[in-house]
Amino acid sequence: MTLYIGREASKLWKRVCAETTTEINLLADNWKYILTGLILQYIHGLAARGVHYLHRPGPTLQDAGFFLLPELGEDKAYISETVFTFAFLSFVMWTFHPFIFKSKKIYTVLVWCRVLAFLVASQFLRIITFYSTQLPGPNYHCREGSKLARLPHPESVFEVLLINFPRGITHGCGDLIFSSHMIFTLVFVLTYQKYGTKRCIKQLGWLVAVVQSFLIIASRKHYTVDVTVAWYTVNLVVFFLDKKLPELPDRTGGASFLLPLSTRDKDSKTKEESHKLLNGNSVDPADWV
């Protein structure tokens, strides 16, 4: 029994090391895209923080979802965030599953390049819409009488650039149309829909997206229009952008790991084959030793 556990642990360690080498090679060629995507995530947070300075609380707008769905209350608003956190962490763990499991269909770095592209495109449209018209926020901390509903003028530029993380992210006002939580949720679900292998998890993903939509409205974090616009906008963005991006190489055909190489010639060969992967070309498994 001990021998079996030791042998399996050794195989797992070799798999992790080999996969790490593969992803490092891909990251070396794609770090600019990853870094740009992360920087634009910060810019999106900066824009959301900026519109909070423009927010003016007022009467909550008439909303069909508010009539149909009972209000959860401020003490139960965490339920929506809990579901979102579950979806977020589940997707992140799935993107790193090639480091552990043998049944690999994706490359982690390449998947995140696509995910960041979808997020950035959707968030760019979001910034345009919530700066076009500022609506009175329906959330509890955005209503008249709340100290957080209006932000005082910043005392320095650093106060704006630091965006009061993380409270500035979770207690923002004015960035309504359309829902950022739904952007992330739908991008994750659509990505797994295409590259995932478990049908039951795909169905669960769509169910979580629907439940998340209702919870966002019931917790009064967004108006119904914010969620509705997110559903068709994100789907359209992913549909059209997915056609423009190079397709990911499929690993289910039996492609092996990029194993650590010691000689200069083999290092050069590894880089050459990594470029083939990035271009979507197939790699002959027999080439890898």
Side-chain angles (χ1 to χ4, degrees), residues 19 23 94-98 103-111 195-196 248-252:
E19 194 66 30
E23 296 296 341
W94 170 75
T95 61
F96 284 92
H97 83 274
S103 56
K104 306 169 294 295
K105 189 179 180 181
I106 62 170
Y107 292 95
T108 303
V109 170
L110 300 184
V111 164
Y195 297 110
L248 298 185
D250 193 342
R251 305 184 66 174
T252 55

mmCIF file of all heavy atoms in Angstrom, residues 19 23 94-98 103-111 195-196 248-252:
data_model
loop_
_atom_site.group_PDB
_atom_site.id
_atom_site.type_symbol
_atom_site.label_atom_id
_atom_site.label_comp_id
_atom_site.label_asym_id
_atom_site.label_seq_id
_atom_site.Cartn_x
_atom_site.Cartn_y
_atom_site.Cartn_z
ATOM 1 N N GLU A 19 3.866 19.848 -16.463
ATOM 2 C CA GLU A 19 2.846 20.825 -16.830
ATOM 3 C C GLU A 19 3.320 22.241 -16.525
ATOM 4 O O GLU A 19 3.029 23.175 -17.279
ATOM 5 C CB GLU A 19 1.552 20.538 -16.078
ATOM 6 C CG GLU A 19 0.340 21.270 -16.626
ATOM 7 C CD GLU A 19 -0.020 20.807 -18.019
ATOM 8 O OE1 GLU A 19 0.228 19.633 -18.345
ATOM 9 O OE2 GLU A 19 -0.543 21.627 -18.797
ATOM 10 N N GLU A 23 3.445 25.350 -19.182
ATOM 11 C CA GLU A 23 2.773 26.634 -18.980
ATOM 12 C C GLU A 23 3.758 27.794 -18.904
ATOM 13 O O GLU A 23 3.453 28.902 -19.344
ATOM 14 C CB GLU A 23 1.922 26.572 -17.704
ATOM 15 C CG GLU A 23 0.792 25.568 -17.750
ATOM 16 C CD GLU A 23 -0.263 25.895 -18.800
ATOM 17 O OE1 GLU A 23 -0.324 27.062 -19.246
ATOM 18 O OE2 GLU A 23 -1.027 24.996 -19.174
ATOM 19 N N TRP A 94 -10.740 24.891 -12.032
ATOM 20 C CA TRP A 94 -10.843 24.088 -13.249
ATOM 21 C C TRP A 94 -9.761 24.456 -14.254
ATOM 22 O O TRP A 94 -9.189 23.576 -14.916
ATOM 23 C CB TRP A 94 -12.229 24.271 -13.878
ATOM 24 C CG TRP A 94 -12.296 23.654 -15.249
ATOM 25 C CD1 TRP A 94 -12.373 22.323 -15.557
ATOM 26 C CD2 TRP A 94 -12.253 24.352 -16.500
ATOM 27 N NE1 TRP A 94 -12.398 22.156 -16.921
ATOM 28 C CE2 TRP A 94 -12.320 23.385 -17.520
ATOM 29 C CE3 TRP A 94 -12.184 25.706 -16.845
ATOM 30 C CZ2 TRP A 94 -12.303 23.728 -18.869
ATOM 31 C CZ3 TRP A 94 -12.171 26.046 -18.186
ATOM 32 C CH2 TRP A 94 -12.224 25.060 -19.187
ATOM 33 N N THR A 95 -9.446 25.739 -14.385
ATOM 34 C CA THR A 95 -8.427 26.148 -15.359
ATOM 35 C C THR A 95 -7.047 25.605 -15.000
ATOM 36 O O THR A 95 -6.179 25.509 -15.876
ATOM 37 C CB THR A 95 -8.341 27.680 -15.474
ATOM 38 O OG1 THR A 95 -7.977 28.244 -14.206
ATOM 39 C CG2 THR A 95 -9.652 28.259 -15.952
ATOM 40 N N PHE A 96 -6.848 25.229 -13.735
ATOM 41 C CA PHE A 96 -5.555 24.673 -13.322
ATOM 42 C C PHE A 96 -5.597 23.152 -13.184
ATOM 43 O O PHE A 96 -4.624 22.557 -12.709
ATOM 44 C CB PHE A 96 -5.122 25.295 -11.988
ATOM 45 C CG PHE A 96 -4.595 26.698 -12.127
ATOM 46 C CD1 PHE A 96 -5.447 27.786 -11.990
ATOM 47 C CD2 PHE A 96 -3.257 26.935 -12.411
ATOM 48 C CE1 PHE A 96 -4.976 29.079 -12.124
ATOM 49 C CE2 PHE A 96 -2.772 28.226 -12.546
ATOM 50 C CZ PHE A 96 -3.628 29.306 -12.406
ATOM 51 N N HIS A 97 -6.688 22.527 -13.625
ATOM 52 C CA HIS A 97 -6.778 21.080 -13.467
ATOM 53 C C HIS A 97 -5.758 20.309 -14.298
ATOM 54 O O HIS A 97 -5.406 19.181 -13.926
ATOM 55 C CB HIS A 97 -8.203 20.598 -13.792
ATOM 56 C CG HIS A 97 -8.467 20.392 -15.249
ATOM 57 N ND1 HIS A 97 -8.869 21.416 -16.086
ATOM 58 C CD2 HIS A 97 -8.381 19.280 -16.036
ATOM 59 C CE1 HIS A 97 -9.027 20.939 -17.307
ATOM 60 N NE2 HIS A 97 -8.743 19.666 -17.308
ATOM 61 N N PRO A 98 -5.233 20.842 -15.428
ATOM 62 C CA PRO A 98 -4.215 20.066 -16.151
ATOM 63 C C PRO A 98 -2.963 19.772 -15.335
ATOM 64 O O PRO A 98 -2.211 18.859 -15.670
ATOM 65 C CB PRO A 98 -3.887 20.975 -17.346
ATOM 66 C CG PRO A 98 -5.106 21.787 -17.556
ATOM 67 C CD PRO A 98 -5.625 22.047 -16.181
ATOM 68 N N SER A 103 -6.630 13.691 -17.829
ATOM 69 C CA SER A 103 -7.545 14.055 -18.914
ATOM 70 C C SER A 103 -7.480 15.561 -19.134
ATOM 71 O O SER A 103 -8.225 16.327 -18.542
ATOM 72 C CB SER A 103 -8.977 13.630 -18.574
ATOM 73 O OG SER A 103 -9.367 14.210 -17.344
ATOM 74 N N LYS A 104 -6.586 16.003 -19.992
ATOM 75 C CA LYS A 104 -6.332 17.422 -20.209
ATOM 76 C C LYS A 104 -6.882 17.825 -21.574
ATOM 77 O O LYS A 104 -6.632 17.166 -22.572
ATOM 78 C CB LYS A 104 -4.833 17.714 -20.135
ATOM 79 C CG LYS A 104 -4.174 17.234 -18.848
ATOM 80 C CD LYS A 104 -2.667 17.294 -18.930
ATOM 81 C CE LYS A 104 -2.127 16.319 -19.960
ATOM 82 N NZ LYS A 104 -2.370 14.916 -19.598
ATOM 83 N N LYS A 105 -7.601 18.943 -21.589
ATOM 84 C CA LYS A 105 -8.105 19.448 -22.858
ATOM 85 C C LYS A 105 -7.653 20.884 -23.109
ATOM 86 O O LYS A 105 -7.758 21.386 -24.218
ATOM 87 C CB LYS A 105 -9.645 19.391 -22.875
ATOM 88 C CG LYS A 105 -10.238 19.702 -24.240
ATOM 89 C CD LYS A 105 -11.752 19.605 -24.225
ATOM 90 C CE LYS A 105 -12.320 19.935 -25.611
ATOM 91 N NZ LYS A 105 -13.792 19.885 -25.636
ATOM 92 N N ILE A 106 -7.157 21.553 -22.098
ATOM 93 C CA ILE A 106 -6.834 22.962 -22.213
ATOM 94 C C ILE A 106 -5.410 23.233 -21.742
ATOM 95 O O ILE A 106 -4.790 22.419 -21.070
ATOM 96 C CB ILE A 106 -7.788 23.826 -21.361
ATOM 97 C CG1 ILE A 106 -7.642 23.463 -19.876
ATOM 98 C CG2 ILE A 106 -9.224 23.691 -21.837
ATOM 99 C CD1 ILE A 106 -8.340 24.400 -18.932
ATOM 100 N N TYR A 107 -4.908 24.388 -22.143
ATOM 101 C CA TYR A 107 -3.687 24.957 -21.587
ATOM 102 C C TYR A 107 -4.105 26.151 -20.744
ATOM 103 O O TYR A 107 -4.805 27.044 -21.217
ATOM 104 C CB TYR A 107 -2.724 25.386 -22.694
ATOM 105 C CG TYR A 107 -2.140 24.235 -23.474
ATOM 106 C CD1 TYR A 107 -2.721 23.814 -24.673
ATOM 107 C CD2 TYR A 107 -1.013 23.567 -23.006
ATOM 108 C CE1 TYR A 107 -2.189 22.755 -25.384
ATOM 109 C CE2 TYR A 107 -0.474 22.501 -23.720
ATOM 110 C CZ TYR A 107 -1.062 22.097 -24.904
ATOM 111 O OH TYR A 107 -0.541 21.044 -25.602
ATOM 112 N N THR A 108 -3.678 26.191 -19.505
ATOM 113 C CA THR A 108 -4.139 27.202 -18.554
ATOM 114 C C THR A 108 -3.869 28.613 -19.036
ATOM 115 O O THR A 108 -4.759 29.475 -19.008
ATOM 116 C CB THR A 108 -3.477 26.972 -17.182
ATOM 117 O OG1 THR A 108 -3.772 25.652 -16.729
ATOM 118 C CG2 THR A 108 -3.987 27.981 -16.169
ATOM 119 N N VAL A 109 -2.667 28.882 -19.491
ATOM 120 C CA VAL A 109 -2.299 30.234 -19.925
ATOM 121 C C VAL A 109 -3.156 30.680 -21.106
ATOM 122 O O VAL A 109 -3.663 31.811 -21.142
ATOM 123 C CB VAL A 109 -0.808 30.295 -20.299
ATOM 124 C CG1 VAL A 109 -0.467 31.617 -20.991
ATOM 125 C CG2 VAL A 109 0.057 30.123 -19.061
ATOM 126 N N LEU A 110 -3.360 29.787 -22.065
ATOM 127 C CA LEU A 110 -4.124 30.148 -23.260
ATOM 128 C C LEU A 110 -5.598 30.373 -22.936
ATOM 129 O O LEU A 110 -6.244 31.248 -23.526
ATOM 130 C CB LEU A 110 -3.974 29.065 -24.330
ATOM 131 C CG LEU A 110 -2.540 28.803 -24.809
ATOM 132 C CD1 LEU A 110 -2.535 27.784 -25.935
ATOM 133 C CD2 LEU A 110 -1.874 30.092 -25.261
ATOM 134 N N VAL A 111 -6.125 29.592 -22.003
ATOM 135 C CA VAL A 111 -7.522 29.793 -21.601
ATOM 136 C C VAL A 111 -7.695 31.159 -20.949
ATOM 137 O O VAL A 111 -8.647 31.894 -21.239
ATOM 138 C CB VAL A 111 -7.976 28.672 -20.639
ATOM 139 C CG1 VAL A 111 -9.247 29.067 -19.906
ATOM 140 C CG2 VAL A 111 -8.223 27.392 -21.411
ATOM 141 N N TYR A 195 -15.030 24.381 -23.523
ATOM 142 C CA TYR A 195 -13.831 23.588 -23.280
ATOM 143 C C TYR A 195 -13.987 22.552 -22.166
ATOM 144 O O TYR A 195 -13.108 21.707 -22.002
ATOM 145 C CB TYR A 195 -12.653 24.523 -22.930
ATOM 146 C CG TYR A 195 -12.302 25.453 -24.060
ATOM 147 C CD1 TYR A 195 -12.560 26.817 -23.957
ATOM 148 C CD2 TYR A 195 -11.724 24.969 -25.232
ATOM 149 C CE1 TYR A 195 -12.243 27.679 -24.988
ATOM 150 C CE2 TYR A 195 -11.408 25.828 -26.271
ATOM 151 C CZ TYR A 195 -11.669 27.185 -26.140
ATOM 152 O OH TYR A 195 -11.363 28.034 -27.174
ATOM 153 N N GLY A 196 -15.071 22.622 -21.422
ATOM 154 C CA GLY A 196 -15.292 21.627 -20.378
ATOM 155 C C GLY A 196 -15.740 20.302 -20.958
ATOM 156 O O GLY A 196 -16.175 20.211 -22.116
ATOM 157 N N LEU A 248 -7.851 27.302 -29.536
ATOM 158 C CA LEU A 248 -6.895 26.613 -28.685
ATOM 159 C C LEU A 248 -6.596 25.227 -29.233
ATOM 160 O O LEU A 248 -7.482 24.556 -29.778
ATOM 161 C CB LEU A 248 -7.460 26.466 -27.266
ATOM 162 C CG LEU A 248 -7.765 27.735 -26.487
ATOM 163 C CD1 LEU A 248 -8.183 27.369 -25.071
ATOM 164 C CD2 LEU A 248 -6.567 28.658 -26.450
ATOM 165 N N PRO A 249 -5.343 24.768 -29.119
ATOM 166 C CA PRO A 249 -5.039 23.386 -29.495
ATOM 167 C C PRO A 249 -5.719 22.420 -28.548
ATOM 168 O O PRO A 249 -5.765 22.648 -27.334
ATOM 169 C CB PRO A 249 -3.509 23.316 -29.359
ATOM 170 C CG PRO A 249 -3.162 24.408 -28.404
ATOM 171 C CD PRO A 249 -4.162 25.498 -28.634
ATOM 172 N N ASP A 250 -6.272 21.340 -29.088
ATOM 173 C CA ASP A 250 -6.991 20.351 -28.287
ATOM 174 C C ASP A 250 -6.003 19.300 -27.791
ATOM 175 O O ASP A 250 -5.282 18.693 -28.578
ATOM 176 C CB ASP A 250 -8.084 19.699 -29.135
ATOM 177 C CG ASP A 250 -9.065 18.892 -28.290
ATOM 178 O OD1 ASP A 250 -8.708 18.555 -27.142
ATOM 179 O OD2 ASP A 250 -10.157 18.601 -28.780
ATOM 180 N N ARG A 251 -5.984 19.086 -26.484
ATOM 181 C CA ARG A 251 -5.028 18.157 -25.904
ATOM 182 C C ARG A 251 -5.573 16.743 -25.774
ATOM 183 O O ARG A 251 -4.856 15.856 -25.317
ATOM 184 C CB ARG A 251 -4.601 18.652 -24.520
ATOM 185 C CG ARG A 251 -4.062 20.052 -24.523
ATOM 186 C CD ARG A 251 -3.554 20.468 -23.155
ATOM 187 N NE ARG A 251 -2.398 19.704 -22.760
ATOM 188 C CZ ARG A 251 -1.696 19.953 -21.657
ATOM 189 N NH1 ARG A 251 -2.050 20.931 -20.859
ATOM 190 N NH2 ARG A 251 -0.646 19.211 -21.357
ATOM 191 N N THR A 252 -6.816 16.520 -26.149
ATOM 192 C CA THR A 252 -7.401 15.195 -25.952
ATOM 193 C C THR A 252 -6.884 14.183 -26.956
ATOM 194 O O THR A 252 -7.152 13.004 -26.835
ATOM 195 C CB THR A 252 -8.933 15.272 -26.067
ATOM 196 O OG1 THR A 252 -9.291 15.870 -27.324
ATOM 197 C CG2 THR A 252 -9.507 16.113 -24.942
#
